[in-house]
Amino acid sequence: MPLTQAESVIKNIIREIGQECAAHGEIVSETLVAFMVKAVVLDPSNGFNMDRTLMKSDVQKLVKLCVARLLDNKNPSLDTIKMQVYFDMNYTSREEFLEEHHRVLESRLGSVSREITDNRACAREELESLYRKIVSYVLLRSGLGSPTDIKIVREATAALQSVFPHSELGTFLTLTKKDKERQLKELTMIVTGIRLFNRDCGKGGEGIDDLPAILHEAIPATTQHIDSQLQIAQDQVYRYTAILEKVTKNPLMSKELEPYMLKEALYNVRQYEIFLQIILSDIITCAQEVEIMIKQLGAQLELLKSTVKSRTAIPTSQVFPIFISLANLWTSFQDETVLISVLSSLTSHLEPFLGAHELLFPDRIMQGLLDDVTVKTDVCRIKEHMEDRVRLTDFKKLEWLFPETTANFEKLLIQYRGFCGYTFATTDGLLLPGNPTIGILKYKEKYYTFSTREAAYSFAENPEYYIGLIKEKAKKNAELIQLLELHQQFETLVPYSQVRDVDKHYIKPITKCESSTQTDTHILPPTIVRAYEWNEWELRRKAIKLANLRQKITHSVQTDLSHMRRENCSQVYPLKDASTQSNREGSTRVPKPQIYIAGLRGGRSKTTHAVKVNLTRAVDET
């Protein structure tokens, strides 16, 4: 079947179921009907096959079963589903609520803001009307009094005129639309700060409620009411749990107590307890924020008083930021007031979903069931097994977490909302709180706690088997899907509020252990530049070498402007004496032959007589 056709069929089924319930005097929302349709289809006892297309007879059967369940006013299971749907549709986290609240306020002020920013006033009467609209906008945005009360309007007008006189309207009209909106918001905060300061000084503050005092009284009252409701719910939980424990030990009692739907009643009160704890946690956060803001408000007012004192003229750069801080603080007080009111209203609207308990379990029946039964609180059950801890030596393949070895032990997201999965699977739906000190089992990146060490050992032998049993049990009781947070296993039934926050608050454990690390000396490949030179003088030498100054002429020039204003000099290389050294011949010091012959030229006689004379010196004389 195509997707669009399937959606059309489902919408028709939901519409038909709603009309049938309305005909019997029961008005149900489409969200509740859609949840019930999926719950009925999931229940294997109803015989619907998820893999084949629904026939006409299947549709008729589905409508009949849904209508019968929606009209069963004495069924705690239906009350639990209604409670879950109501809470899911009306509760949001603190951040989302404040964001949505501010968005709604902005949308309500949109039309007033447009009347001012789109105004093209020229005449005097038009300018006067525009100024009155600005005053109304300031009052509406600040929430400090009604714009129809003449006293409040006069006070706000006087405060606005001190920072934004009529003469500034002309400049204001020349601004762009965005600049006008920005200036309107800034004027609102400054005027709000001025009125709050005047109220503190006893010179104004008409129509301004004392929000710190109101919150100081409202938060303890709301907390006390929720605490009392929580105590009543927990007492019921402990009694139902004790009776169901007695039934598990005596199987014959299960047939007798089957009409009373004890387990469904336990799920109903457990779900109510969980919702109250969520609301109470938000109110405690509000109380902490209010306490901080009251101190900040007092500090800002004291700072403003010391800045103003008795001076008549003060620079705007000094006081405007303080006025804006006061306005922001007061806006936070208003947010906390609205949030407390919404949480208180949500708490009161959850109480009607507990109506089946008084019908099914009046006091006389409860007293009979509690004979010979010891009622234990969750704290007592945990204390009984504080010393029974899992021994790591018994498990080689599974990982167990303990408080002393895990940094964020308290923040882990425990499966089944902290209840013992083994007890729930083996006792056909009994909810007992898990004891984290026994040890938290980490299995496929999920964390499980158990009520006893024996339960932990049994679950660890075959986790998949017990996880499957829990899933099958949830198919029969659809309220368990949200109660035990099984949305990952039933993706079609994930609440809208949790679709937006998938894995948002998932925290992984940080296991403590002794370990050492070794860092590589050279992680990256070497990038050594061989031509790098750190020595400045070596760089100068290379620069001179590159410039080759020996072959250049250095000039110095003087102009009319520089003449006689500074000393000029040029650097030259002066001439220097230079000599060369050449080779010379060398010989050994041997006596030079000196032999003379006399008479070769002839003489007076015709006969030539030659005389040979050897004058060579002896060797030892040289």
Side-chain angles (χ1 to χ4, degrees):
M1 182 184 295
L3 183 61
T4 54
Q5 185 179 354
E7 290 178 353
S8 177
V9 171
I10 292 172
K11 288 181 180 179
N12 290 333
I13 293 173
I14 292 173
R15 190 181 302 109
E16 185 177 351
I17 294 171
Q19 292 172 352
E20 286 283 340
C21 291
H24 289 82
E26 186 74 22
I27 305 300
V28 292
S29 65
E30 289 188 1
T31 307
L32 176 61
V33 174
F35 190 95
M36 188 57 69
V37 168
K38 294 174 183 178
V40 170
V41 172
L42 278 177
D43 192 345
S45 63
N46 294 326
F48 290 100
N49 190 346
M50 301 286 288
D51 298 327
R52 66 178 178 83
T53 305
L54 292 176
M55 306 300 291
K56 187 175 181 179
S57 59
D58 295 329
V59 173
Q60 293 175 350
K61 178 183 177 183
L62 177 60
V63 172
K64 184 178 179 181
L65 289 172
C66 290
V67 170
R69 289 197 62 178
L70 289 170
L71 295 178
D72 188 2
N73 294 324
K74 295 183 180 181
N75 192 339
S77 179
L78 176 62
D79 286 340
T80 306
I81 292 174
K82 288 180 177 180
M83 186 195 309
Q84 291 171 345
V85 171
Y86 177 81
F87 190 84
D88 181 55
M89 297 301 293
N90 292 275
Y91 174 81
T92 55
S93 64
R94 173 187 175 86
E95 295 76 12
E96 291 175 347
F97 171 80
L98 294 178
E99 182 181 345
E100 179 68 15
H101 177 60
H102 293 162
R103 189 191 64 78
V104 171
L105 290 179
E106 289 290 341
S107 64
R108 290 177 180 175
L109 291 170
S111 59
V112 183
S113 175
R114 283 191 296 272
E115 286 183 13
I116 298 172
T117 55
D118 296 342
N119 200 298
R120 295 292 183 268
C122 296
R124 182 177 178 180
E125 292 78 8
E126 293 175 342
L127 292 173
E128 287 290 340
S129 174
L130 175 61
Y131 199 85
R132 287 193 296 271
K133 288 180 181 178
I134 294 176
V135 174
S136 299
Y137 174 87
V138 168
L139 287 173
L140 289 172
R141 187 174 188 85
S142 65
L144 302 182
S146 171
T148 59
D149 191 323
I150 189 64
K151 292 182 180 180
I152 297 173
V153 172
R154 285 175 180 172
E155 182 183 334
T157 304
L160 182 62
Q161 285 177 345
S162 64
V163 295
F164 185 74
H166 286 79
S167 58
E168 295 290 333
L169 278 177
T171 306
F172 176 80
L173 290 172
T174 60
L175 299 175
T176 62
K177 186 179 180 68
K178 288 186 177 180
D179 288 337
K180 288 178 182 177
E181 292 175 351
R182 179 188 57 78
Q183 188 167 353
L184 283 174
K185 293 178 182 179
E186 186 174 332
L187 287 172
T188 301
M189 289 190 288
I190 294 172
V191 171
T192 302
I194 293 172
R195 294 188 64 202
L196 291 171
F197 178 66
N198 291 338
R199 172 184 172 275
D200 186 68
C201 296
K203 299 178 181 179
E206 186 72 29
I208 301 178
D209 296 324
D210 191 357
L211 294 185
I214 293 172
L215 287 170
H216 191 67
E217 295 179 1
I219 290 177
T222 306
T223 305
Q224 185 177 1
H225 173 69
I226 295 177
D227 279 334
S228 63
Q229 292 297 113
L230 191 58
Q231 186 63 45
I232 295 171
Q234 288 175 341
D235 290 341
Q236 282 185 310
V237 165
Y238 302 149
R239 290 198 297 269
Y240 290 151
T241 303
I243 296 170
L244 284 171
E245 276 187 311
K246 181 180 178 181
V247 172
T248 56
K249 295 175 183 178
N250 188 0
L252 296 177
M253 292 181 61
S254 59
K255 291 292 183 181
E256 299 177 6
L257 297 178
E258 187 175 356
Y260 292 103
M261 295 178 283
L262 264 173
K263 286 194 292 291
E264 287 78 1
L266 175 63
Y267 302 154
N268 179 259
V269 188
R270 277 291 187 187
Q271 186 66 80
Y272 180 65
E273 176 196 9
I274 290 167
F275 287 157
L276 286 183
Q277 288 174 341
I278 293 172
I279 296 172
L280 185 60
S281 175
D282 284 350
I283 292 178
I284 291 173
T285 304
C286 289
Q288 294 170 347
E289 291 292 328
V290 168
E291 185 178 355
I292 294 172
M293 289 189 301
I294 288 175
K295 294 179 181 178
Q296 292 177 344
L297 180 65
Q300 291 292 337
L301 289 172
E302 287 298 323
L303 176 61
L304 194 54
K305 288 177 182 178
S306 62
T307 303
V308 174
K309 291 183 180 177
S310 59
R311 291 189 289 177
T312 55
I314 305 141
T316 57
S317 59
Q318 293 183 15
V319 293
F320 277 13
I322 306 177
F323 287 145
I324 292 173
S325 298
L326 280 176
N328 288 328
L329 273 174
W330 203 258
T331 301
S332 299
F333 278 117
Q334 292 171 332
D335 292 343
E336 299 298 334
T337 304
V338 176
L339 183 56
I340 288 293
S341 175
V342 170
L343 292 175
S344 178
S345 175
L346 182 60
T347 304
S348 61
H349 280 86
L350 290 178
E351 294 178 18
F353 298 112
L354 303 173
H357 296 279
E358 296 180 359
L359 298 174
L360 294 173
F361 305 102
D363 291 338
R364 56 182 181 80
I365 293 180
M366 288 299 296
Q367 291 298 328
L369 295 174
L370 288 171
D371 288 341
D372 302 327
V373 173
T374 303
V375 179
K376 299 178 183 178
T377 65
D378 288 348
V379 177
C380 290
R381 294 179 185 279
I382 291 175
K383 286 182 178 179
E384 284 180 351
H385 302 281
M386 287 289 287
E387 304 301 326
D388 299 336
R389 306 186 65 178
V390 172
R391 292 186 293 269
L392 290 177
T393 54
D394 297 337
F395 301 92
K396 296 182 179 179
K397 296 183 179 180
L398 295 177
E399 183 179 355
W400 293 86
L401 305 176
F402 298 95
E404 64 275 7
T405 59
T406 309
N408 50 358
F409 187 80
E410 301 295 333
K411 299 179 180 179
L412 294 180
L413 184 63
I414 306 299
Q415 293 296 301
Y416 311 131
R417 211 183 283 269
F419 293 110
C420 177
Y422 174 79
T423 304
F424 181 82
T426 55
T427 59
D428 194 26
L430 176 61
L431 293 177
L432 291 182
N435 187 353
T437 57
I438 292 175
I440 295 180
L441 173 63
K442 181 180 180 182
Y443 180 73
K444 292 186 176 180
E445 299 302 322
K446 295 179 181 179
Y447 308 99
Y448 302 85
T449 57
F450 308 96
S451 57
T452 63
R453 183 170 64 183
E454 291 73 18
Y457 276 64
S458 300
F459 187 92
E461 289 179 0
N462 192 355
E464 290 294 338
Y465 171 72
Y466 295 106
I467 292 172
L469 288 179
I470 296 170
K471 182 177 180 180
E472 291 302 316
K473 176 62 179 175
K475 289 181 179 179
K476 298 178 182 178
N477 295 82
E479 68 269 24
L480 291 170
I481 296 172
Q482 183 166 342
L483 176 61
L484 301 182
E485 295 181 323
L486 302 175
H487 306 115
Q488 292 182 348
Q489 300 180 35
F490 300 92
E491 294 181 358
T492 57
L493 291 175
V494 177
Y496 171 70
S497 60
Q498 298 191 20
V499 169
R500 298 167 292 176
D501 301 327
V502 174
D503 293 336
K504 183 176 181 181
H505 304 292
Y506 183 74
I507 298 175
K508 292 186 177 181
I510 302 174
T511 306
K512 301 176 184 176
C513 63
E514 294 183 1
S515 62
S516 60
T517 59
Q518 183 177 358
T519 305
D520 294 337
T521 305
H522 301 293
I523 300 175
L524 300 175
T527 56
I528 299 174
V529 180
R530 300 296 178 183
Y532 173 77
E533 184 59 59
W534 64 270
N535 193 332
E536 178 184 354
W537 295 100
E538 181 63 21
L539 292 173
R540 291 185 180 189
R541 189 190 67 78
K542 290 181 178 180
I544 292 173
K545 185 177 179 181
L546 289 173
N548 196 11
L549 292 178
R550 294 178 183 273
Q551 299 179 7
K552 307 298 180 185
I553 300 176
T554 304
H555 296 276
S556 67
V557 179
Q558 279 189 328
T559 63
D560 292 338
L561 296 177
S562 65
H563 179 58
M564 297 298 290
R565 291 179 179 271
R566 61 183 176 86
E567 294 181 357
N568 287 337
C569 62
S570 61
Q571 183 180 9
V572 298
Y573 288 92
L575 298 176
K576 63 179 181 178
D577 295 333
S579 61
T580 59
Q581 187 178 10
S582 60
N583 294 331
R584 63 180 180 179
E585 294 181 356
S587 61
T588 59
R589 296 182 66 85
V590 181
K592 186 177 179 180
Q594 293 181 352
I595 300 173
Y596 298 95
I597 301 176
L600 291 179
R601 294 178 183 265
R604 294 177 182 175
S605 62
K606 295 181 180 180
T607 306
T608 303
H609 296 279
V611 180
K612 183 177 178 182
V613 181
N614 187 1
L615 298 179
T616 305
R617 301 178 67 181
V619 175
D620 54 351
E621 293 181 358
T622 59

